[in-house]
Amino acid sequence: MSQYNHSTKTHSEEQKTSPPSKSASSHFFSRCTEMPVDKHSIRDRAAVGRFPTVTFGFEEDAGEEKEGSEENNAEKENACQRWLRKVCPCCYPTPNEEDVTDTLVTGIDDLDKENEANGGKPETGGDSELDELLLKVQSIDLMKDKSGETRTEHHTNLYQSDNFIIRRGQNFKMWISLSRPFNPNTDKLHLELKTGPVPTVSKKTHVIIPLVEELQDGRWEAAIVKQDDKRIMLSVNSSPTAVIGRYQLIVETDCANGQAVSTHDPANDIYILFNPWCEGDPVFMDSEDERQEYVLNDIGRIYYGTQYQIGERTWNYGQFDDGILTACLFVLEKSGTPASGWSDPVNVVRVISAMTNSPDDRGVLEGNWSGDYSLGTSPTVWSGSVEILKEYHKNNGTPVKYGQCWAFAGVVTTVARCFGIPCRTVTNFSSAHDTDVSLTTDVYLDENLEPIDYLNTDSIWNFHVWNDCWMARPDLPAGNGGWQAVDATPQETSQGTFCCGPASLAAIRYGQVFLKHDTPFVFAEVNSDKIYWQKNIDGTFSKIYSEKKTMGHFISTKAVGSDERNDITHLYKHPEGSEAERIAVETACSYGSKAEAYSPPTAQDVSVEVTMKGKGPEMGGDAELTIVLRNSSSEQRTVILHSQVAVMYYTGVHKATVRKDNTDVDLLPNEEKILEWTLVYKDYKDQLIDQAALMMTLSGRVRETQQVVATQFSFRLRTPDLVIKPIGKAVVGEKMAVEISFTNPLPQVLKAVIFHVEGLGLLTAQKINYGDIGSRASVSLTEHFIPTLPGPRKLLASLDCRQLTQVHGVTDITVEEKKSNGAL
């Protein structure tokens, strides 16, 4: 399991040694000559503490300061000391512990006027007047009611908790009550969120949220959207790649009279989850029905038995039950992995897989297959994950006894869905357990064909239960996103830890076992051949027989929206016995420890590649590609060629297969054959998504030599450009216009089209709500503006609508200086 290494200092190590004591006057003058004044901020403090009771050293700091306060109070202040405190409060603070814990203040007001008003006499009550001039936070209202707007829009209203639970990449609102009305001209304000034991800005565990005038998606920002006397409502945008977990919230204000930092209130902690509803989140899933099933459904079915007698049981995932989110975060924290890695679902599901079993990290469940469960609960007794997770949390991380594969998988589904990762429980019937990375299930026999027990370590389970989790895989080649196999049952270690996955189902299907994580192991579970080896007289072994259709049958999960069983075997493997399935097996096993089990090709003299004419196919038209097959031998070759084209998300996630073809191609000696391949518009029009990306996968076998040929080719459908034509002369301060023209390439109406126009020195960003554009229709619009800067400028425009994206244009405009009226 990938780990994140980081070093931490204890709070005591980070404390600076106090300087030698000085008299009050010498201390005052030495401090006042050191400019600027050292400003103390909670932001700079060391952060310690872990989930579920997150603390960041506030209590420790407060305790130290309280002790100092008590020592100062032990000595009675004289008039001089009180005067020093008034003229330089940063050096000689008020001995009042509430001022330390509630608000940190830097800067002073015009103290001469205060002294003048009091007859020049120092006054001990001056601090209250100073405080009145500061901008201080009185209270924060996150509007976190379960039935409120925020939690409903964030799909977190089902969590049986009064905590503020949101999903990353979405907007939320909050009220802040201040000590006086907020003045945007003189006052400043920002939010800070901290998570993990050592919050760090560079690792995104310490988030500073600035106040801006206009929000932009995809980043942490806040804007004032309403002001009601001393109250302001903030609208806050969150990053779709934020670290998930529990954050502490503070508000820092700044005005002419100093800074103030709000007190941390645990009731205002913010729980941030993955967001399958947000396109910028790697776990984004575009089907609402699937999101309802794989994220929001808290009841499911788990299948067991044999491929001939499939049984089913209902399982209570209970991811929204009271206390389960806290328990799941506790599991994540117990892993010891740094919170900086919790933004990536690949890392998080790997941690979940490792922490669900107990052998090497005292995870949630202790496995037991002995039949003796007297020291705990029999695995068959459990009917859900809630009791298991609550018991683990209650006992501070003591593994719960006992679990077997379905219980491990049930817990993984609960934790993943609780965090917002789409997840389902999957059962594989006749499931292989490969122990030697051979990608085959091996049976060893002696000279008399009797089993050699000590060598027969591979096994075949009647059924085995694991999980599929949905996510993009930017760490893998395009096409490998989507469902990923994750197995928490402790069978083999992965990078030294008992975990497995995430392994791309697409990689498993094509035998691409060189792609991480643990793809060889999962491939063997569903598609390994059973090979019989006989011992020879000289002690070596020879392959005597193989069974090709033994593993991986009726791979099952609960159907979307019903209690029916959904067979998803086709996602893990090609049809059993098909040429494509055999190619996948041989491709995979060529990377295994027993590659000799398969006869190598007698020659490798045929090659295949895909090319594209010009700039490639255009949106709305037919896509034309060229497949080139070359035979470099002096003999005839016949290639059995399989092609498949799929629509892809830009993240590499497979959306839908839009076409499949099989053909036999005869190649003469030294012949190069060109095949023209066309994908017509009607085949892909209903599946198009944002970047209009497609991928062709070619695989084949040469009949005469058994050589395997394969390649993948990604391409996109080009969108038309916007044509921008300047109208009139471009002069600073004088009105001009541009005409923007566009032709809809699709034989369908574009709905709710928005044009964006902007240009540095020409005009600020503008949004133009145009409306609908008809099928194949041409439109134009005129935009007027006044240039503000001379010289060469660029005007940019783009079009946005659900049916068509990546449409943009640019034009060069040279702006002249305005001529003086007094010129002769």
Side-chain angles (χ1 to χ4, degrees), residues 158 160 292-300 314-321 383-386 413-414 417:
L158 295 176
Q160 299 304 303
Q292 290 290 328
E293 180 65 49
Y294 299 132
V295 182
L296 300 182
N297 194 354
D298 55 5
I299 298 285
T314 299
W315 191 268
N316 174 26
Y317 296 123
Q319 67 267 31
F320 306 119
D321 204 74
S383 59
S385 309
V386 172
T413 299
T414 298
R417 290 185 183 180

Side-chain angles (χ1 to χ4, degrees), residues 83 226 288 314 359 430 440 479 483 500 595 614 635 715 733 760 783 785:
W83 182 84
K226 190 181 295 185
E288 180 58 28
T314 299
S430 191
T440 56
W483 288 117
C500 179
E635 300 176 2
F715 62 99
L760 185 64
E783 180 72 6
F785 57 93

Side-chain angles (χ1 to χ4, degrees), residues 477-479 609-627 643-653 656-661 676-681 683-685 687-698 711-719 806:
E609 70 171 322
V610 180
T611 61
M612 186 172 61
K613 296 177 182 177
K615 295 183 178 180
E618 293 185 353
M619 177 73 73
D622 297 342
E624 296 181 352
L625 302 177
T626 301
I627 301 172
S643 66
Q644 171 181 304
V645 176
V647 173
M648 311 295 296
Y649 290 97
Y650 79 95
T651 55
V653 174
T657 299
V658 294
R659 180 170 161 188
K660 290 183 178 181
D661 291 300
E676 299 296 338
W677 181 93
T678 302
L679 177 67
V680 297
Y681 174 73
D683 287 343
Y684 68 77
K685 69 181 181 68
Q687 298 292 348
L688 281 183
I689 44 178
D690 271 2
Q691 312 286 328
L694 297 101
M695 184 167 71
M696 169 183 274
T697 300
L698 285 177
T711 189
Q712 288 184 318
F713 182 77
S714 296
F715 62 99
R716 74 177 185 88
L717 301 169
R718 289 192 303 114
T719 51
Q806 294 295 339

Side-chain angles (χ1 to χ4, degrees), residues 505 509 555 566-575 660:
L505 265 60
R509 191 168 190 257
I555 302 176
N566 186 22
D567 192 312
I568 57 171
T569 308
H570 63 284
L571 298 180
Y572 278 85
K573 58 201 290 190
H574 295 287
K660 290 183 178 181

Side-chain angles (χ1 to χ4, degrees), residues 123-133:
E123 177 182 299
T124 57
D127 285 353
S128 61
E129 292 146 21
L130 177 61
D131 285 350
E132 287 176 8
L133 298 172

Side-chain angles (χ1 to χ4, degrees), residues 166-172 204 207 209 216-221 236-244 247 272-275 278 280-281 343:
I166 61 172
R167 298 192 188 276
R168 63 186 193 176
Q170 272 185 251
N171 177 278
F172 63 93
K204 299 182 179 180
V207 180
I209 307 174
Q216 295 186 38
D217 292 336
R219 62 178 71 178
W220 282 107
E221 288 181 343
V236 184
N237 274 357
S238 61
S239 166
T241 57
V243 170
I244 68 156
Y247 287 78
I272 299 179
L273 309 177
F274 290 105
N275 193 351
C278 173
D281 195 313
S343 62

Side-chain angles (χ1 to χ4, degrees), residues 383-433:
S383 59
S385 309
V386 172
E387 188 179 355
I388 295 170
L389 285 165
K390 285 189 174 181
E391 184 176 332
Y392 182 72
H393 187 205
K394 176 184 176 183
N395 294 328
N396 198 32
T398 300
V400 178
K401 300 177 180 180
Y402 294 103
Q404 292 183 8
C405 64
W406 62 88
F408 290 115
V411 169
V412 168
T413 299
T414 298
V415 179
R417 290 185 183 180
C418 185
F419 288 154
I421 301 173
C423 184
R424 62 190 183 190
T425 308
V426 173
T427 302
N428 177 41
F429 292 95
S430 191
S431 185
H433 177 184

